[in-house]
Amino acid sequence: MRRRDALRVLAGLGALSLMPGAALAKKADRKGDAKSEAKAGGREPVKPSWREGKQLVVVLLQGGPDGLSMAAPTADPLYAVLRPTTALTAEAGTDLGNGFRLHPALTLLAPLYARKQLAVIPACAMPGQGATHAAALADFAAGAPAAQRKGKAGAAGWLGRLALALGGERSQMVVASQSEAYDGAPHYAMLAPGRGESLPGLPVEDQTLFDAAGKLYGQAGGSLAKAFAAGREARQEQLAKLLEESRRAAAGAVPAPHFAEFGPRLGKELARRRDAALGFVAVGGFDTHSGQGAAKGYLADRLRDLGQGLAGMLAGLGPAAADTVVVALGEFGRTARENAFGGTDNGLGGVMLVLGGPVAGGRVVGPWPGLAGHRLAGGRDIAAATDWREAVAAIAVSHLGLPEKRIPDIFPGLGPGQMLGGLVG
């Protein structure tokens, strides 16, 4: 069994707490790899630049949460048109300004917004990224779309490259999920989330009407009955595929219901490990192809889990939250228009949350492309108005101490100094 498979099994059993053994094993493997890679690329060993005590925690919302629900553009007249059953009302949740409302299930984060410790970035994505979960997760891990991962660029994960750039061979990370995003990191310690509440299945549509219509058409017989039966069968097959996709999209991540409980524990560990510049955890349960709901329902429950987990993490960090920036984002967003199953499908632009003591928050950051058909990417997705990498690059430079010239080393395709300014104080 490979080490990664063993870690996944042990983590699922809750048999791991903190794994210095795994970290040491990883250290032994990666130290040589990193040096070899540097030599092969003709580069000098990396000079550490990390500002000690400063920390960045990445929370990957696996499945791609619906940005139009997290931060709803209720002032856009097309919003309710595109979302007949999943739109929030103009009175729901917290007013973020600029025509946006924070989903009411994220109410635990509202005080952070009021204290200007939470920034909300709508229409956020990496241009050119993959449209499937597997492709988008691979692009996220590499920190670049496939077209920009040529040669050695993007060979390791972007968090691994950032760890090396910040701390050299002594860099430390705390992780709670397996991900290729931190491949190449010389040292990491895994905090296993252990057992907890599992992820419920997506709601499926009520079959009562279909059963009644099927009986009616069946009694009529003929070609109409056959056409209805064939159409219903095709619809059920499509729904089954989407439900299976949603289940697989959460694989390897901490189930959102468990993250609500695990967040404070992760925060305490991050507070204890101030020698770690970076943290990572993946949270699953946001691939809502069916029965998504609006202010209440399946997605609202997952967002409530997320809000509890994030607020709990900051509470667990305690005073260390003043030196910690947390970013939460999906591998992509969802379609602007809801689908026939009362859900939303894989899209492009989503929402990125940036929270913590150093954040210059209390505002919606970045442009909003709008929901008009000609403004949508491919006529269906929220366009990528802000590249999430530019937000992370700004945090890495302004908060962690990464030299601006190193940005292209972390994110292939970005230029030196290409970052979203003013995000952290």
Side-chain angles (χ1 to χ4, degrees), residues 213-240:
K215 185 178 294 183
L216 182 64
Y217 287 122
Q219 291 173 347
S223 58
L224 190 59
K226 291 181 180 178
F228 179 82
R232 185 180 182 186
E233 183 178 350
R235 182 183 177 89
Q236 290 177 327
E237 288 180 358
Q238 182 185 1
L239 179 59

Side-chain angles (χ1 to χ4, degrees), residues 114-374:
R115 294 199 299 268
K116 304 186 185 304
Q117 294 177 341
L118 167 63
V120 178
I121 307 177
C124 193
M126 179 166 58
Q129 68 178 57
T132 66
H133 291 287
L137 286 173
D139 291 345
F140 171 82
Q148 295 175 358
R149 299 200 301 268
K150 297 178 181 178
K152 293 185 178 297
W158 70 268
L159 278 170
R161 295 193 296 272
L162 180 57
L164 270 172
L166 291 170
E169 294 300 321
R170 292 189 175 187
S171 67
Q172 301 283 334
M173 286 187 67
V174 174
V175 301
S177 306
Q178 289 288 330
S179 173
E180 294 179 351
Y182 54 86
D183 275 1
H187 303 249
Y188 67 78
M190 172 167 277
L191 180 67
R195 290 184 184 277
E197 189 175 349
S198 58
L199 190 66
L202 279 176
V204 296
E205 59 189 347
D206 187 352
Q207 294 295 307
T208 304
L209 180 61
F210 290 95
D211 290 340
K215 185 178 294 183
L216 182 64
Y217 287 122
Q219 291 173 347
S223 58
L224 190 59
K226 291 181 180 178
F228 179 82
R232 185 180 182 186
E233 183 178 350
R235 182 183 177 89
Q236 290 177 327
E237 288 180 358
Q238 182 185 1
L239 179 59
K241 290 179 180 176
L242 292 174
L243 294 176
E244 174 60 18
E245 179 185 323
S246 296
R247 187 189 65 78
R248 285 189 276 109
V254 179
H258 183 40
F259 181 64
E261 174 187 348
F262 177 62
R265 183 175 156 223
L266 177 58
K268 289 178 182 177
E269 184 59 29
L270 290 165
R272 192 181 72 81
R273 290 295 307 269
R274 301 314 291 179
D275 61 334
L278 301 170
F280 175 83
V281 62
V283 181
F286 300 99
D287 192 34
T288 50
H289 288 286
S290 171
Q292 178 172 301
K296 296 181 179 179
Y298 184 89
L299 179 60
D301 292 341
R302 302 293 77 77
L303 293 179
R304 188 173 296 104
D305 296 333
L306 173 65
Q308 290 177 359
L310 291 175
M313 185 193 302
L314 290 179
L317 276 160
D323 290 319
T324 304
V325 176
V326 180
V327 298
L329 72 164
E331 69 267 36
F332 46 41
R334 310 202 70 76
T335 49
R337 185 184 297 277
E338 69 180 45
N339 63 24
F341 301 107
T344 51
D345 298 322
N346 305 344
L348 180 60
V351 161
M352 182 175 184
L353 303 178
V354 185
L355 54 158
V359 177
R363 60 197 177 104
V364 176
V365 178
W368 170 243
L371 296 174
H374 69 284

